[in-house]
Amino acid sequence: QNELEANINIAKTKAMVSTPELVGLDNARDFGDGYILRSLRGSADAEFVDSRWPKSSSKSLRMIERQIEADNKNATKTDCSCCLGIEHEGNLVACILRHRNGSLGILHVDENHRRRGLGEILLREASRAFGHR
């Protein structure tokens, strides 16, 4: 993919995600080209995050599961999620988590999906949700 195509994809993605609606447990946001922004849920999502995290350890999977569970519990009260993922054609390809101390981290975009603005979308949407809480 050349730089012009990457810039077009980023601009298109930003325009499609500029809606004020926050992503919660009961809604996801389709922004075209097979990409869907949604809440992270369950063990499969936690395994995806853990498998991409360079600091993964024997205890990290359970820590990530607890972070996602806590975020889901908060999302039932606030109707917005801070632990988010982006699916492409049904497969999770990017993620961001809100740590228990309130910081955002473990931002990851699979290599084949980089340079499309997905990391920026995750950071912006998780920050908006955190600010809403």
Side-chain angles (χ1 to χ4, degrees), residues 23-37:
V23 172
L25 292 175
D26 297 325
N27 65 324
R29 189 173 315 139
D30 183 337
F31 52 95
D33 295 332
Y35 289 101
I36 297 173
L37 177 67

Side-chain angles (χ1 to χ4, degrees), residues 14-44:
K14 284 180 182 178
M16 291 180 169
V17 181
S18 62
T19 176
E21 181 182 344
L22 295 167
V23 172
L25 292 175
D26 297 325
N27 65 324
R29 189 173 315 139
D30 183 337
F31 52 95
D33 295 332
Y35 289 101
I36 297 173
L37 177 67
R38 65 166 178 82
S39 299
L40 291 177
R41 294 190 205 127
S43 297

Side-chain angles (χ1 to χ4, degrees), residues 1 9 12 28-29 33-35 43 49 61 84-85 112-113 125:
Q1 186 178 52
N9 283 340
K12 182 178 171 184
R29 189 173 315 139
D33 295 332
Y35 289 101
S43 297
V49 174
L61 178 59
L84 299 170
N112 293 342
H113 298 274
E125 295 303 307

Side-chain angles (χ1 to χ4, degrees), residues 2-111:
N2 67 37
E3 189 172 336
L4 177 60
E5 288 174 335
N7 288 335
I8 290 169
N9 283 340
I10 289 169
K12 182 178 171 184
T13 300
K14 284 180 182 178
M16 291 180 169
V17 181
S18 62
T19 176
E21 181 182 344
L22 295 167
V23 172
L25 292 175
D26 297 325
N27 65 324
R29 189 173 315 139
D30 183 337
F31 52 95
D33 295 332
Y35 289 101
I36 297 173
L37 177 67
R38 65 166 178 82
S39 299
L40 291 177
R41 294 190 205 127
S43 297
D45 288 351
E47 288 173 16
F48 170 86
V49 174
D50 190 53
S51 71
R52 279 22 179 223
W53 191 32
K55 297 188 180 206
S56 177
S57 71
S58 61
K59 296 180 182 181
S60 61
L61 178 59
R62 183 62 193 131
M63 177 201 67
I64 292 167
E65 287 173 334
R66 284 194 310 266
Q67 288 173 250
I68 292 172
E69 289 167 8
D71 186 65
N72 289 173
K73 186 181 281 187
N74 284 331
T76 62
K77 299 173 188 170
T78 62
D79 201 32
C80 62
S81 295
C82 294
C83 291
L84 299 170
I86 295 178
E87 286 185 6
H88 183 255
E89 299 176 351
N91 297 308
L92 200 56
V93 298
C95 63
I96 191 167
L97 265 72
R98 178 180 177 262
H99 296 291
R100 295 169 76 189
N101 67 4
S103 64
L104 295 172
I106 312 184
L107 174 63
H108 173 80
V109 178
D110 279 352
E111 195 167 327

